[in-house]
Amino acid sequence: MSNSMKITAGQTTTRTLTDLIRAMDGQRATTITYVDSKGEESVRTIEIHNILTTSKGGIIVRAMCRTRSEMRTFTLEQIKAYTVHRIRFVLTVPEDKAADALPLAHLAVTAQELIDLELERDYPAPKVALAA
């Protein structure tokens, strides 16, 4: 990964997600520029622990914030730019937030695999009972 700042508006969502998933899998710190709900821009270095989809199809990033030393949630739409660093994670996830930070059970290499995993999680196939 390059240490140059990547502007999310200048690339596809798939590319942004791919970079953020790689940062999470490699436990690499990531500096993001994001716009909060008040419209204020901020720069934070985070340690991504989970990337999830909402019931409405939005994508959220759960990460430890190095500024606040606590678990925070960012929507992908809030992230305007990012840089993935070589430095590894250094923060310890508080025990009460450990469930939020569990690594994903499956690794999605392609965008289609990520979509399939999310659909499988949200809409599991019904279990068929075998007749005795």
Side-chain angles (χ1 to χ4, degrees):
M1 296 231 128
S2 166
N3 268 353
S4 63
M5 187 66 90
K6 295 186 180 182
I7 309 299
T8 56
Q11 61 187 23
T12 65
T13 300
T14 302
R15 181 67 205 179
T16 300
L17 268 176
T18 300
D19 288 345
L20 296 179
I21 290 169
R22 284 185 181 147
M24 177 180 68
D25 288 345
Q27 295 188 346
R28 304 289 183 191
T30 304
T31 298
I32 61 170
T33 301
Y34 75 100
V35 177
D36 67 15
S37 59
K38 298 174 189 171
E40 297 176 15
E41 191 172 282
S42 182
V43 177
R44 300 284 174 88
T45 298
I46 60 173
E47 299 175 0
I48 302 170
H49 288 277
N50 216 340
I51 298 174
L52 307 163
T53 56
T54 66
S55 60
K56 295 185 180 188
I59 299 170
I60 59 173
V61 176
R62 293 286 293 154
M64 288 294 292
C65 174
R66 287 192 174 175
T67 302
R68 306 233 183 230
S69 294
E70 59 185 33
M71 188 66 72
R72 306 295 279 197
T73 300
F74 306 92
T75 64
L76 195 62
E77 293 79 29
Q78 286 177 297
I79 300 172
K80 302 303 175 191
Y82 65 93
T83 300
V84 177
H85 303 286
R86 292 186 178 132
I87 190 168
R88 311 284 282 185
F89 289 2
V90 296
L91 298 175
T92 302
V93 178
E95 287 190 34
D96 64 329
K97 299 293 182 184
D100 290 339
L102 291 176
L104 298 175
H106 304 286
L107 173 64
V109 178
T110 66
Q112 185 60 49
E113 287 176 346
L114 177 63
I115 292 167
D116 291 344
L117 286 172
E118 291 297 328
L119 287 173
E120 181 183 324
R121 184 196 71 201
D122 295 339
Y123 306 100
K127 295 181 181 176
V128 179
L130 297 175

